[in-house]
Amino acid sequence: ETTLTQSPAFMSATPGDKVNISCKASQDIDDDMNWYQQKPGEAPIFIIQEATTLVPGIPPRFGGSGYGTDFTLTINNIESEDAAFYFCLQHDNFPFTFGPGTKVDIK
Amino acid sequence: QVQLVESGGGVVQPGRSLRLSCAASGFTFRNYGMHWVRQAPGKGLEWVAVMSPDGSDVYYADSVKGRFTISRDNSKNTLHLQMNSLRAEDTAVYYCAKTTRGYNYGYDYWGQGTLVTVSS
């Protein structure tokens, strides 16, 4: 089973900041990594696919990087509406596994 | 637009059964793998099960293998999860999720979830 370690667990940012969230896999998963945003009481929203591809309709301030075991979600010029819970998902092998998530607060 | 609507959650005693459903619309259901994912209160997300588009391939998490059964009715655009021998640790919000393609790819859409509480 591939374990995903996500950091930080919580962060507080100021509008306009650049934010990086890390997701590390316990084994090589190529680029089989997706990122999601979730707000309380809502379904997760798909924001990055295959590690680096921005999902259509998602603002370009979101970006993804990485391959193999180390991945990063970057939010440039963060906005208040980006306050949410972010998590990673690996779909390289079963069982699919998830990172424990990062709560992003906007000051 | 794509919609996934789960139903069937509720409070159930340990050892009893429950059947969840996920009604899909806005896409050609029979062409996509479908998954169940759950989240226990205060815990992270846990993958539960997957069924391929035609139902020929099925995989389960070890924690539910032998107790849960995933199924689908492509004529009714519906996914199901039959949960037997329920345990307290099965208490969670259960989400259905649509893959981007095939059945071993990530999800582009999730439902809102349905809460299952296993308690005496």
Side-chain angles (χ1 to χ4, degrees), chain A residues 4 23 29 32-36 87-91 96-99, chain B residues 105-107 110:
Chain A
L4 298 181
C23 187
I29 58 168
D32 296 331
M33 170 66 70
N34 293 350
W35 289 94
Y36 299 86
F87 62 91
C88 51
L89 158 70
Q90 71 80 18
H91 60 88
F96 285 8
T97 49
F98 298 86
Chain B
Y105 285 84
Y107 318 129
W110 303 58

Side-chain angles (χ1 to χ4, degrees), chain A residues 3-103:
Chain A
T3 300
L4 298 181
T5 304
Q6 193 173 334
S7 62
F10 174 83
M11 67 186 316
S12 185
T14 299
D17 282 353
K18 178 179 179 178
V19 164
N20 288 313
I21 298 171
S22 170
C23 187
K24 295 183 185 296
S26 60
Q27 60 187 308
D28 190 331
I29 58 168
D30 296 335
D31 63 352
D32 296 331
M33 170 66 70
N34 293 350
W35 289 94
Y36 299 86
Q37 175 195 72
Q38 187 177 25
K39 297 182 178 180
E42 298 182 7
I45 294 173
F46 187 29
I47 56 176
I48 298 290
Q49 59 181 325
E50 310 314 311
T52 62
T53 302
L54 186 68
V55 171
I58 300 300
R61 63 180 179 274
F62 289 89
S65 61
Y67 189 89
T69 60
D70 289 357
F71 301 87
T72 302
L73 172 68
T74 299
I75 311 174
N76 290 296
N77 194 24
I78 200 167
E79 299 185 5
S80 58
E81 66 183 31
D82 300 332
F85 182 77
Y86 294 86
F87 62 91
C88 51
L89 158 70
Q90 71 80 18
H91 60 88
D92 180 75
N93 56 83
F94 287 115
F96 285 8
T97 49
F98 298 86
T102 297
K103 184 177 180 182

Side-chain angles (χ1 to χ4, degrees), chain B residues 6-11 18-21 83 114-117:
Chain B
E6 301 94 340
S7 61
V11 180
L18 208 58
R19 190 191 196 208
L20 305 183
S21 297
M83 305 185 295
T114 187
L115 176 62
V116 172
T117 302

Side-chain angles (χ1 to χ4, degrees), chain B residues 7-63:
Chain B
S7 61
V11 180
V12 61
Q13 293 179 328
R16 303 297 290 265
S17 298
L18 208 58
R19 190 191 196 208
L20 305 183
S21 297
C22 170
S25 61
F27 65 102
T28 306
F29 182 73
R30 65 179 180 271
N31 289 348
Y32 294 90
M34 295 294 296
H35 294 236
W36 287 99
V37 175
R38 69 184 181 182
Q39 185 167 31
K43 303 287 188 181
L45 290 155
E46 179 187 18
W47 174 79
V48 173
V50 58
M51 176 166 272
S52 61
D54 65 359
S56 61
D57 291 307
V58 173
Y59 296 93
Y60 296 96
D62 287 345
S63 59

